[in-house]
Amino acid sequence: SQIAQVLKSLYNLIDDEEQFIIYSKKEAGAYINLAERLEKCEENYYKIARYYRGAALCYQEINNNLIESASCFVLAGNYSERIEDFNEAAINFFNAAVIFKGLNNLEMTYKHYVKAGDNYWKEKNVNDSTESYLNAYGIAVEGGLEYNKFGIFNQIVRGLNIIAKEGLKNKQFYTAAT
């Protein structure tokens, strides 16, 4: 993977897009192979998640491989969630949601914004959690999707209340009022 990464960077520097894409795919493939070779046990989940995230980032650089990128972000998020690395899980699910939105797959976008929100909430990151839930709500409305209105509204209201209280406490009146 390191050799492919170096060659990819060199081809990027000399502006050879065709070779850049080839070596981006090779680097991503190497990360996936590393992830798949590891025994699926808790002690390896962190490494597996990192390898899938690496593959996702490689695929993200290639515009026509976005579904592979989103899928790898989801896998990375799932493995991070298993070891209760909720912040990393949230970041991966949020990245997946953004890519699914670009692919116009609104159901998967909604699902992964909610998963990001849930994981940010577990991490007590109220701002990012609330933003993720608001994004999920926006996608549900935009796509006419069926969704758990009570659940998502409850989370948004809880988050906004906490943000407003913190704003008042810290004399950030604009934030609190907003």
Side-chain angles (χ1 to χ4, degrees):
S1 68
Q2 291 175 336
I3 292 170
Q5 185 179 43
V6 168
L7 290 171
K8 174 186 84 170
S9 297
L10 289 173
Y11 284 117
N12 190 36
L13 284 173
I14 62 172
D15 218 18
D16 186 337
E17 188 175 345
E18 184 178 326
Q19 290 298 314
F20 171 77
I21 290 171
I22 289 169
Y23 283 98
S24 288
K25 287 180 182 178
K26 285 185 180 192
E27 182 185 2
Y31 285 134
I32 290 170
N33 286 336
L34 288 168
E36 289 176 352
R37 283 188 191 156
L38 287 172
E39 181 185 349
K40 305 300 184 259
C41 62
E42 192 170 332
E43 66 190 37
N44 289 334
Y45 288 165
Y46 176 78
K47 285 181 186 176
I48 294 169
R50 297 305 301 163
Y51 289 144
Y52 279 125
R53 180 166 179 79
L57 293 170
C58 290
Y59 283 133
Q60 190 176 28
E61 294 177 326
I62 311 167
N63 286 331
N64 62 349
N65 284 76
L66 294 178
I67 191 68
E68 289 89 345
S69 179
S71 299
C72 287
F73 277 128
V74 169
L75 287 167
N78 288 337
Y79 280 102
S80 294
E81 210 171 32
R82 288 181 184 178
I83 55 170
E84 297 182 1
D85 187 349
F86 299 123
N87 188 59
E88 200 60 34
I91 291 167
N92 284 304
F93 290 136
F94 192 91
N95 291 152
V98 169
I99 292 172
F100 281 126
K101 173 117 171 72
L103 293 169
N104 204 30
N105 186 334
L106 300 183
E107 288 179 11
M108 293 297 279
T109 304
Y110 171 81
K111 176 182 178 180
H112 289 93
Y113 274 137
V114 169
K115 287 183 86 164
D118 292 345
N119 280 281
Y120 278 129
W121 189 264
K122 290 174 189 172
E123 197 60 27
K124 298 190 181 357
N125 183 338
V126 177
N127 289 337
D128 290 339
S129 176
T130 304
E131 177 188 353
S132 296
Y133 291 128
L134 285 167
N135 287 336
Y137 170 73
I139 292 298
V141 170
E142 177 185 329
L145 304 177
E146 289 196 25
Y147 62 99
N148 178 354
K149 291 178 181 153
F150 176 76
I152 201 160
F153 288 147
N154 188 40
Q155 283 301 111
I156 291 169
V157 169
R158 286 172 61 190
L160 291 174
N161 279 332
I162 291 169
I163 292 168
K165 286 177 185 175
E166 286 296 312
L168 285 174
K169 188 169 93 176
N170 296 326
K171 299 189 191 268
Q172 295 173 335
F173 300 116
Y174 179 77
T175 300
T178 303

